[in-house]
Amino acid sequence: MCTLFHFFQILSSVLTMKLMLPFRTYIIQHFYQKQSSEEQSLWALLLALCLLTTVGIAIAFENIGGYLPCHLCLIERVPYYSAGILSLITSIIARFTRWFLLVRFFLLCICIIMIFSFILAIYHVGIEYNLWPAPPSCDSGSTKLIVDAQRLLKQLNHIHPPSCSQAAGYFSFLSFAGWNALASLVYTVLSFFVASRDLLSNHNSS
């Protein structure tokens, strides 16, 4: 019994070493192996396409699918606009210049923006599950009685957004805010991955 225990102990140690060695090698390569400006440009361009495609899908759901965004949904698009545009600018700078530090700074800014997007999406999900109250701006509209005909017609001409506490729909058990949280997390990891590549190499700062 003791021999069998030692056998499994040795086996687990060997497997751990074999699994950790490639991971350690990858980490060393990730932080030390230099990447070209073309690689940085392509990564930034890929990030921009992903970000702008994501917000484009949200706009398509609104205009084609008829899913009206709430107040928070509209705010949650802002990080995608800003990060997407910044990614395009970063891609251009990386392609036509050698300003490695500036490119890395912009990529870190994109990462921070997507962290904020993730926090905002989690906040929205919490409102949908009644974990905390919604802000006053998320009300679905006024419930006061309108007796004036002109005011009534004017009210009908304005489409009121839905309440932030009610999800417009669920897709694979996730609401739009839930999918936004997942996408923001993925883009946070991706932007940090790109920004941290060759972080410890000796690139010129020019």
Side-chain angles (χ1 to χ4, degrees), residues 37-57:
S37 58
E38 288 78 10
E39 285 182 280
Q40 284 185 321
S41 177
L42 288 175
W43 276 112
L45 181 60
L46 174 64
L47 192 57
L49 291 176
C50 291
L51 290 166
L52 296 178
T53 299
T54 302
V55 74
I57 292 173

Side-chain angles (χ1 to χ4, degrees), residues 8-43:
F8 281 111
Q9 190 176 26
I10 295 172
L11 181 62
S12 63
S13 300
V14 172
L15 289 176
T16 302
M17 289 179 61
K18 286 189 175 182
L19 290 174
M20 289 299 295
L21 188 59
F23 178 74
R24 182 181 177 185
T25 304
Y26 172 77
I27 292 297
I28 293 174
Q29 289 179 349
H30 177 79
F31 285 106
Y32 284 95
Q33 187 175 10
K34 291 183 179 181
Q35 65 173 335
S36 64
S37 58
E38 288 78 10
E39 285 182 280
Q40 284 185 321
S41 177
L42 288 175
W43 276 112

Side-chain angles (χ1 to χ4, degrees), residues 89-196:
I89 295 173
T90 304
S91 178
I92 295 172
I93 293 176
R95 181 65 181 85
F96 296 104
T97 71
R98 292 296 182 268
W99 299 342
F100 296 107
L101 290 182
L102 182 61
V103 170
R104 193 184 308 281
F105 173 74
F106 282 167
L107 289 170
L108 288 174
C109 288
I110 295 168
C111 181
I112 293 172
I113 291 172
M114 296 318 299
I115 290 174
F116 172 75
S117 176
F118 174 72
I119 295 173
L120 192 60
I122 291 296
Y123 173 68
H124 192 177
V125 171
I127 292 174
E128 291 178 344
Y129 284 94
N130 298 318
L131 298 179
W132 40 73
S137 58
C138 283
D139 290 338
S140 59
S142 176
T143 57
K144 294 181 180 179
L145 180 63
I146 301 175
V147 294
D148 184 76
Q150 289 184 347
R151 288 183 60 194
L152 178 60
L153 290 175
K154 187 181 293 185
Q155 188 84 352
L156 291 174
N157 288 330
H158 290 80
I159 300 176
H160 293 283
S163 174
C164 298
S165 59
Q166 298 176 351
Y170 287 89
F171 306 91
S172 299
F173 307 104
L174 287 177
S175 64
F176 286 108
W179 281 110
N180 180 29
L182 183 61
S184 298
L185 181 61
V186 170
Y187 296 144
T188 298
V189 174
L190 179 60
S191 57
F192 179 77
F193 170 81
V194 180
S196 62

